[in-house]
Amino acid sequence: MAELVAIVGNSGTGKSTSLRNLNPEETFIISTTGKPLPFKGFKSKYTILKQDANTKEWSGNYYVTSNVDKIGTVLKLINSKLTNIKTVVLDDMQYLMSFEAMDRAREKSYDKFVEIAQHMYSVFKEAMNMRSDLIFVVCTHSENAGDEMNPKYKMKTVGKMLDNVIVLEGLFTYVLYTTLSKNEDGILQYQFMTNTDGTNTAKSPFGCFEDLYIDNDLKYVIEKIREYNEG
């Protein structure tokens, strides 16, 4: 069973940038939008998945789709054929829901929200069934389910009905939130919050991270998770 990790936060707070130090030889990125990754040299590090017509061998570590069935197919491929891959990242996960919701906007039945939830769950179910040496990471937006005085940030979905069907955070062992702050020199710091401060759904197992705030470096996060799991 693969380990599931969520990186949650507003746009521009360092979710995709946190991928910068991952080893591309062991990393596969699935992008729901195809937007450029925000770090230097990403095009040379991450190349489109393809199959050689003659040898039938697969190469590449990058795939663009917002289709849940295609994501499931790619995850199966990674699990069985691309055994060098140890980290799978699903970037901008929230668009799987929002794109489908927009495509089905004219449908009046509320059943569509149940079906959207089922489609999301199918992706996570496939991920959970992957190799135990894999870590599956989703980067996704947050939303405030509370108010300005009493904020309660959670993983963004497409409506309360979907939340009633599936609580996304419950599927993850690790839920890290992005934060922005300025240091003593006034320089902006991009960090992850490793456990909740009461305003969000951040969580991680007791003792995995020594600090409430850590650098937004997914390589460091994965190293700490593997160290924690191995004891």
Side-chain angles (χ1 to χ4, degrees):
M1 180 177 179
E3 190 86 67
L4 268 60
V5 178
I7 305 298
V8 188
N10 290 331
S11 179
T13 56
K15 297 186 299 298
S16 298
T17 305
S18 71
L19 314 181
R20 65 194 181 277
N21 291 327
L22 291 175
N23 181 358
E25 294 183 2
E26 297 183 350
T27 305
F28 195 105
I29 297 176
I30 302 172
S31 172
T32 63
T33 64
K35 72 180 184 183
L37 295 172
F39 50 83
K40 186 177 180 179
F42 84 91
K43 286 187 177 180
S44 61
K45 294 178 180 178
Y46 293 95
T47 58
I48 296 295
L49 177 69
K50 62 181 179 181
Q51 186 179 33
D52 187 278
N54 297 316
T55 66
K56 303 302 181 183
E57 294 292 324
W58 290 91
S59 62
N61 56 359
Y62 184 72
Y63 191 75
V64 179
T65 185
S66 59
N67 181 290
V68 294
D69 293 330
K70 290 182 179 179
I71 290 175
T73 299
V74 171
L75 294 181
K76 287 184 174 70
L77 176 66
I78 294 170
N79 194 52
S80 61
K81 301 293 185 181
L82 303 179
T83 54
N84 61 300
I85 298 299
K86 305 301 180 184
T87 302
V88 180
V89 179
L90 177 59
D91 197 21
D92 281 329
M93 182 271 291
Q94 75 282 347
Y95 286 116
L96 292 181
M97 293 177 281
S98 57
F99 285 166
E100 182 176 358
M102 291 300 294
D103 289 341
R104 304 176 64 178
R106 293 184 180 275
E107 293 183 28
K108 302 301 181 182
S109 172
Y110 285 108
D111 290 344
K112 68 181 178 183
F113 292 106
V114 176
E115 292 173 5
I116 291 172
Q118 290 174 332
H119 295 160
M120 285 300 305
Y121 179 73
S122 70
V123 172
F124 297 133
K125 186 69 173 179
E126 191 65 52
M128 287 187 285
N129 289 333
M130 296 177 78
R131 291 181 272 117
S132 60
D133 63 337
L134 275 166
I135 291 181
F136 181 79
V137 180
V138 302
C139 298
T140 191
H141 286 179
S142 61
E143 64 179 344
N144 186 3
D147 54 43
E148 292 299 320
M149 294 297 295
N150 298 287
K152 187 63 177 180
Y153 293 98
K154 57 181 281 294
M155 296 171 70
K156 185 177 179 63
T157 61
V158 293
K160 291 183 177 180
M161 178 160 284
L162 183 59
D163 292 337
N164 292 335
V165 175
I166 182 171
V167 178
L168 293 179
E169 287 90 342
L171 301 176
F172 294 82
T173 306
Y174 298 83
V175 179
L176 308 183
Y177 273 74
T178 58
T179 67
L180 297 177
S181 62
K182 290 185 178 180
N183 62 18
E184 295 178 352
D185 298 321
I187 298 173
L188 197 62
Q189 293 181 303
Y190 292 81
Q191 295 180 304
F192 289 147
M193 181 182 291
T194 60
N195 277 291
T196 185
D197 62 354
T199 67
N200 56 40
T201 56
K203 63 177 181 177
S204 60
F206 178 78
C208 182
F209 299 103
E210 294 83 8
D211 301 311
L212 179 61
Y213 297 99
I214 60 175
D215 185 33
N216 74 328
D217 184 349
L218 193 54
K219 179 177 181 290
Y220 171 78
V221 169
I222 289 173
E223 288 173 349
K224 294 294 289 185
I225 291 174
R226 295 196 187 282
E227 178 185 312
Y228 182 83
N229 289 344
E230 293 169 4

